[in-house]
Amino acid sequence: QQPVQSPQAVILREGEDAVINCSSSKALYSVHWYRQKHGEAPVFLMILLKGGEQKGHEKISASFNEKKQQSSLYLTASQLSYSGTYFCGTEDFEGKLTFGQGTILTVHP
Amino acid sequence: NAGVTQTPKFQVLKTGQSMTLQCAQDMNHEYMSWYRQDPGMGLRLIHYSVGAGITDQGEVPNGYNVSRSTTEDFPLRLLSAAPSQTSVYFCASRATRSYNEQFFGPGTRLTVL
């Protein structure tokens, strides 16, 4: 079952902040975050593991609430290059990685 | 390293035809997956593999077959193409389950008439 992302779309001005949320109905081993530009393949941003370990992007942060099976991606001081579709991926204990429906982020000058 | 490669980049099929989408990676990754992407539906998992000889179903496996005879290759077979299979297909790989990012191929845009 796909994780659920919210909001579906966000429009920002440069320099503004945004939060994208991801929730799952099943127990998770890890949460992944990816960004996709139009016509391209998704590109890795972050991984968050049970126990609090993180690996990823310098200017983007994320959190993972294991008990609630929820994750949030924090985009601060947004830049034009942040525009794209953001996907959260949830990994179960069998190694299956499924993605949400995506959040479209648009940053205007 | 070429990373994850997919062929073809574009394909047009008629309803009922069969074909194989090719996927290869040169990073010695154990995990490989196939996703389809449709507008508003995100990335949906079709099949995945955690190693050579091991495959399992994802969320939308009907109408597709996979096999994993080598670590490098993970082909996706459409048995009898249907218009509902018109989509962009992404192959992806990662080293193991822990702490490893997933790399996506460039995608195959498939149209079924």
Side-chain angles (χ1 to χ4, degrees):
Chain A
Q1 187 173 2
Q2 286 183 287
V4 177
Q5 288 183 232
S6 63
Q8 290 187 331
V10 183
I11 299 175
L12 300 174
R13 295 257 178 225
E14 266 188 301
E16 293 181 336
D17 302 338
V19 179
I20 301 172
N21 300 302
C22 175
S23 65
S24 174
S25 59
K26 58 184 181 181
L28 301 177
Y29 179 81
S30 70
V31 177
H32 294 222
W33 286 95
Y34 291 77
R35 177 170 63 209
Q36 184 181 34
K37 301 281 188 176
H38 183 70
E40 299 178 4
V43 174
F44 168 77
L45 293 175
M46 298 280 298
I47 288 179
L48 302 103
L49 298 180
K50 278 176 65 70
E53 288 186 83
Q54 294 188 17
K55 170 185 173 182
H57 202 281
E58 291 180 358
K59 295 185 178 180
I60 297 173
S61 62
S63 64
F64 178 21
N65 186 323
E66 300 167 30
K67 288 186 178 179
K68 294 184 177 180
Q69 285 110 235
Q70 294 175 345
S71 178
S72 294
L73 185 72
Y74 305 97
L75 303 164
T76 57
S78 59
Q79 306 169 15
L80 294 177
S81 61
Y82 284 12
S83 292
T85 302
Y86 289 76
F87 291 99
C88 77
T90 53
E91 181 184 13
D92 65 16
F93 287 87
E94 296 169 351
K96 184 188 299 185
L97 181 56
T98 53
F99 288 88
Q101 78 277 23
T103 296
I104 301 171
L105 180 74
T106 305
V107 181
H108 292 296
Chain B
N1 286 351
V4 181
T5 58
Q6 293 182 236
T7 56
K9 289 189 176 181
F10 301 93
Q11 183 69 49
V12 178
L13 293 178
K14 294 182 179 179
T15 297
Q17 287 184 315
S18 62
M19 79 159 296
T20 299
L21 306 185
Q22 300 292 343
C23 175
Q25 51 90 9
D26 62 357
M27 298 173 281
N28 202 32
H29 284 173
E30 290 295 320
Y31 283 48
M32 296 187 75
S33 302
W34 276 103
Y35 298 88
R36 60 176 290 173
Q37 185 171 29
D38 305 291
M41 303 295 288
L43 295 158
R44 291 185 292 171
L45 181 65
I46 304 171
H47 286 285
Y48 69 106
S49 169
V50 299
I54 306 169
T55 63
D56 206 345
Q57 295 182 350
E59 306 161 279
V60 288
N62 292 341
Y64 307 94
N65 273 356
V66 291
S67 59
R68 184 97 181 271
S69 56
T70 67
T71 299
E72 294 78 21
D73 300 299
F74 192 42
L76 179 72
R77 297 182 187 84
L78 279 70
L79 308 173
S80 177
S84 61
Q85 293 179 305
T86 294
S87 188
V88 178
Y89 291 84
F90 287 102
C91 179
S93 75
R94 56 193 170 118
T96 62
R97 64 176 311 171
S98 293
Y99 221 44
N100 287 294
E101 65 185 275
Q102 181 159 267
F103 293 86
F104 285 83
T108 293
R109 184 173 295 275
L110 176 69
T111 302
V112 183
L113 302 175

